[in-house]
Amino acid sequence: MSKEEFLDRLEYLLSDLPEEETEDALDYYRGYLEEAGDAAEEAVREFGSPERIASIIRSELQGGFKSGGELTDTGYADERFRDPNCMLARREEEAERQPGGAGTFDYGNREGASGVDSGGTGGFAGSGGGTGGFAGVAGGTGGSAGGSGGAAGDSGVAAGGNGGNGGNAGRPGANTATKVLWIILAAAVAIAVLPALLGLAGGAFGIVVGVLAVLLVFFLLTAILTIVFLAAGAAVTAAGIAAAFSDPVSGVMCAGAGLVLLALGLVGVALSVLVYGKLMPWLFRGALDGVSGMLHGRRRTA
Amino acid sequence: MVFNTGTALLDAIVLAVVSRDAAGTYGYKITQDVREVIGVSESTLYPVLRRLQKDACLETYDMAIDGRNRRYYRITEKGRVQLNLYKSEWTGYSGRITRIFEEARI
């Protein structure tokens, strides 16, 4: 369609609109095609049919952008005006632009999925091994049964990790071979590092127990001191008040000392509220978060 | 392009392109400038320009070039206000999207 044909057709299609609108649109498209110069033919082709442009302008006049479709970077997107061949043509265009693109992607996806599948199995083995490793640490100072449990745990985790990688790479065949290699490697490393690991585990265990003991003592001490101060304060105050009848000076002093003790006891109560109400739940939550974080992290590597 | 450019963003881009020329610019050049940013089809911009003109965000004037009239578009004060709004909205929006992509594990 030539430039003139396009403009004539558009003018005809818009002829029932207010003259001002028709003139404005025609002026715009005429000016546009004049600026395009040699590229006018191509521009007309890209405009699409005059019918399409006419319906877009008409719809815009009726405020159709809100009620109908909307303008997008590919033009006016509205089901009512969509050229039925438009999507088909574009899909073909894109297929030409990247030959086999979609097919390759699909293929990779499917392989990836099976890879993930085997990775999942590896992960399962890993978590089982992980429990073994835990038992090994709990075995403490290094019984040989605990040790081998730890080694099995390590290799289990390693195998699981490799399974996960396989999922990404999406090569299930090579996956099994590398998994075996990884198991052998992990076992060798575990055997070499095991004594040091056991020492470290023992040290860590000791530190944990020590910290727990200190915390326990701290908690108990807070409660005990609070109770002692409160009881002693009450008792001394009462004794002082009783003594005040016979010996006012020492009685009042005694009662004063008792009140000081009571005050200390009240401070202890406040401290206890803080410790048992805030610090302890916070510590518990922190510990739980830490443990679940470790488990989560372990599951993720597996 | 995977992502669609909606009506508001298209308006914003057109306003930004027109605002770059204080003396105004014309339809063909606007289209080419916008096409350097997003793959807009050539027929798309007339309705956008017409609407922005009706909303008084753009004003037009004619100037004789090579013996014929060329219609120039110029951004109005209202258009600048609108463009400023679009710009700040976009800065926040794109910043949030960018951040979530930076935090994504790929």
Side-chain angles (χ1 to χ4, degrees):
Chain A
M1 188 179 279
S2 77
K3 188 170 89 179
E4 281 72 27
E5 281 171 335
F6 175 86
L7 290 170
D8 284 350
R9 182 79 184 147
L10 188 61
E11 182 172 14
Y12 168 74
L13 288 165
L14 295 175
S15 54
D16 62 322
L17 290 180
E19 198 175 329
E20 186 208 336
E21 291 297 334
T22 316
E23 276 307 305
D24 195 274
L26 282 174
D27 275 358
Y28 178 89
Y29 285 104
R30 194 177 293 123
Y32 190 96
L33 293 175
E34 274 167 15
E35 301 289 348
D38 294 341
E41 292 275 313
E42 197 185 320
V44 167
R45 214 175 309 128
E46 221 192 294
F47 280 168
S49 64
E51 284 79 5
R52 180 168 164 272
I53 291 193
S55 42
I56 290 171
I57 294 168
R58 202 180 295 274
S59 135
E60 187 245 17
L61 269 184
Q62 292 155 356
F65 285 122
K66 269 122 201 155
S67 61
E70 65 169 2
L71 275 169
T72 70
D73 50 351
T74 50
Y76 185 79
D78 187 327
E79 295 304 322
R80 291 175 297 177
F81 305 132
R82 175 159 290 163
D83 180 352
N85 297 322
C86 168
M87 288 312 286
L88 207 69
R90 198 190 300 159
R91 212 173 294 151
E92 274 166 13
E93 225 175 76
E94 268 171 14
E96 269 171 48
R97 214 175 297 147
Q98 15 173 271
T104 314
F105 181 71
D106 212 1
Y107 181 65
N109 232 8
R110 214 174 302 131
E111 290 225 326
S114 69
V116 165
D117 199 24
S118 70
T121 323
F124 202 73
S127 72
T131 321
F134 202 73
V137 173
T141 45
S144 63
S148 70
D154 276 354
S155 61
V157 168
N162 180 51
N165 284 345
N168 284 338
R171 294 198 317 273
N175 192 16
T176 328
T178 39
K179 196 191 278 184
V180 171
L181 262 177
W182 268 107
I183 292 172
I184 294 169
L185 192 67
V189 168
I191 289 165
V193 180
L194 202 59
L197 273 183
L198 284 174
L200 279 177
F205 185 69
I207 288 173
V208 167
V209 167
V211 168
L212 282 178
V214 166
L215 280 175
L216 193 68
V217 166
F218 176 68
F219 287 142
L220 283 179
L221 212 62
T222 310
I224 291 168
L225 278 181
T226 302
I227 292 165
V228 164
F229 272 119
L230 279 178
V236 173
T237 309
I241 289 168
F245 290 108
S246 53
D247 182 359
V249 177
S250 59
V252 167
M253 277 177 70
C254 190
L259 285 174
V260 169
L261 283 176
L262 260 181
L264 283 175
L266 286 176
V267 170
V269 169
L271 197 65
S272 297
V273 167
L274 266 183
V275 165
Y276 288 99
K278 293 260 159 65
L279 184 62
M280 215 147 87
W282 181 77
L283 276 177
F284 267 115
R285 211 173 305 128
L288 282 178
D289 281 355
V291 169
S292 76
M294 272 160 64
L295 288 177
H296 192 67
R298 179 170 293 202
R299 219 177 292 134
R300 185 169 287 173
T301 52
Chain B
M1 182 63 178
V2 183
F3 304 108
N4 275 344
T5 309
T7 308
L9 189 52
L10 204 53
D11 282 6
I13 293 169
V14 169
L15 282 174
V17 163
V18 175
S19 76
R20 293 191 299 190
D21 291 290
T25 176
Y26 51 97
Y28 185 75
K29 186 162 186 302
I30 295 169
T31 305
Q32 302 310 317
D33 287 353
V34 170
R35 276 158 72 89
E36 281 180 15
V37 186
I38 52 169
V40 76
S41 94
E42 291 206 65
S43 63
T44 302
L45 287 191
Y46 172 71
V48 178
L49 289 167
R50 180 72 176 148
R51 177 157 37 84
L52 288 171
Q53 185 194 340
K54 278 185 172 173
D55 292 346
C57 289
L58 295 178
E59 60 188 3
T60 60
Y61 64 95
D62 289 342
M63 196 157 54
I65 301 280
D66 301 336
R68 56 187 171 78
N69 264 344
R70 186 190 267 171
R71 191 194 299 165
Y72 278 85
Y73 292 86
R74 196 166 45 191
I75 192 165
T76 63
E77 205 45 50
K78 190 186 173 200
R80 279 188 204 287
V81 171
Q82 190 67 20
L83 177 59
N84 194 41
L85 174 87
Y86 281 139
K87 191 183 169 188
S88 61
E89 281 285 318
W90 175 256
T91 307
Y93 175 74
S94 62
R96 289 192 294 276
I97 303 287
T98 304
R99 198 173 333 124
I100 203 69
F101 281 144
E102 278 165 0
E103 289 166 5
R105 296 178 169 206
I106 298 171

